[in-house]
Amino acid sequence: MPPTLVLIRHAQAIHNVDRANHFFPDPSLTDLGRQQSAELREHLKAHLPADREMQLIVVSPMRRAVQTCLIALDWLIDSGVPVVPDARWQENYPKPCDTGSPAPELAAEFPGIDFSGLDPVYPDKTSPAGAAYRYEKGAILARGQSALADLYKRTEDVILVVSHSGFMRTAVAGQWFHNADYRIFDFVDREGKGEDEPYKLVEWALTRGKGGMGRSNEVVVEFGEGLP
């Protein structure tokens, strides 16, 4: 049986406060973002299903996602749950605020996380080498399918993913995510389906609507909506 996914959006970062801050490269969390992460931590500890095992954390390598992960999920990390940075879960856009930092820089800043397995092309998303991460509908949808395909094949019971609103909304879940909010999904059964059949998710009733924290927009989004 494929794993259940807990999809989490990072908490508030500097660029979320003012569009003028979009020129900040790979921005950090604000003080409110750190508070939101701490609130999310306590909520998840109380509300994640007690009869399920949280066995893996996948995180976007972008600074705000890693910071959210280390605050909100420290209790799982301290218990031995591994953290795997994955470039496929980064944000869509090529703006400075949505472009990550080089792996050596991240490794120095977050020594408790192993970035050695990160796609060596990261954070490039504009050159031919970074074509898989381009801000183009086809590339983003393919990236979403690639990320889901890998998780579908894993054997963990529950996998938590810390990522970004734009990517999860347009290429993974078709749902909005407020800062530091989350949604829980199972994979749609693929029995009898061909290899070219897209991977799809169905949301748990527990988070359906406004998300687990009750902060998210309820509007369902068509995959690829708004992408060039």
Side-chain angles (χ1 to χ4, degrees):
M1 178 179 292
T4 290
L5 305 183
V6 181
L7 302 184
I8 302 167
R9 182 189 177 191
H10 65 82
Q12 186 195 71
I14 295 167
H15 71 297
N16 296 132
V17 177
D18 190 328
R19 293 183 67 87
N21 293 341
H22 284 195
F23 69 88
F24 280 99
D26 199 10
S28 295
L29 296 181
T30 61
D31 288 342
L32 176 58
R34 295 180 182 280
Q35 179 184 325
Q36 289 173 335
S37 298
E39 291 171 355
L40 176 63
R41 176 187 190 273
E42 298 311 310
H43 180 95
L44 291 174
K45 289 180 71 174
H47 291 89
L48 285 178
D51 60 340
R52 303 292 299 274
E53 289 191 69
M54 313 295 141
Q55 296 180 313
L56 179 67
I57 299 167
V58 176
V59 63
S60 157
M62 303 192 77
R63 182 172 281 112
R64 56 191 181 269
V66 176
Q67 291 172 332
T68 300
C69 172
L70 292 175
I71 297 171
L73 304 179
D74 66 336
W75 52 289
L76 293 174
I77 297 169
D78 290 346
S79 73
V81 176
V83 179
V84 177
D86 188 333
R88 288 172 296 187
W89 289 93
Q90 67 181 293
E91 186 56 296
N92 294 340
Y93 316 103
K95 297 177 289 188
C97 65
D98 291 323
T99 300
S101 304
E105 203 173 297
L106 294 169
E109 185 172 350
F110 306 108
I113 295 180
D114 182 6
F115 291 92
S116 63
L118 193 61
D119 186 342
V121 77
Y122 184 82
D124 179 12
K125 58 173 76 174
T126 58
S127 79
Y133 305 101
R134 280 183 181 165
Y135 182 47
E136 297 174 352
K137 183 175 181 178
I140 291 169
L141 292 179
R143 178 154 62 95
Q145 283 296 297
S146 174
L148 288 176
D150 270 13
L151 296 187
Y152 182 87
K153 297 167 188 171
R154 296 196 64 101
T155 59
E156 287 86 1
D157 185 21
V158 179
I159 298 174
L160 300 96
V161 181
V162 185
S163 185
H164 306 267
S165 179
F167 178 62
M168 293 193 293
R169 181 177 70 250
T170 60
V172 175
Q175 299 281 350
W176 286 85
F177 291 77
H178 190 276
N179 287 125
D181 208 351
Y182 72 98
R183 297 180 184 273
I184 304 177
F185 298 88
D186 285 320
F187 281 94
V188 172
D189 185 14
R190 293 180 59 81
E191 186 175 354
K193 298 184 185 299
E195 284 296 317
D196 58 346
E197 186 73 21
Y199 290 83
K200 297 180 180 179
L201 302 175
V202 58
E203 189 173 2
W204 282 26
L206 182 67
T207 63
R208 196 174 301 146
K210 294 188 175 182
M213 299 292 287
R215 297 169 175 166
S216 297
N217 192 321
E218 295 187 61
V219 177
V220 176
V221 178
E222 182 178 350
F223 286 104
E225 182 177 301
L227 297 177

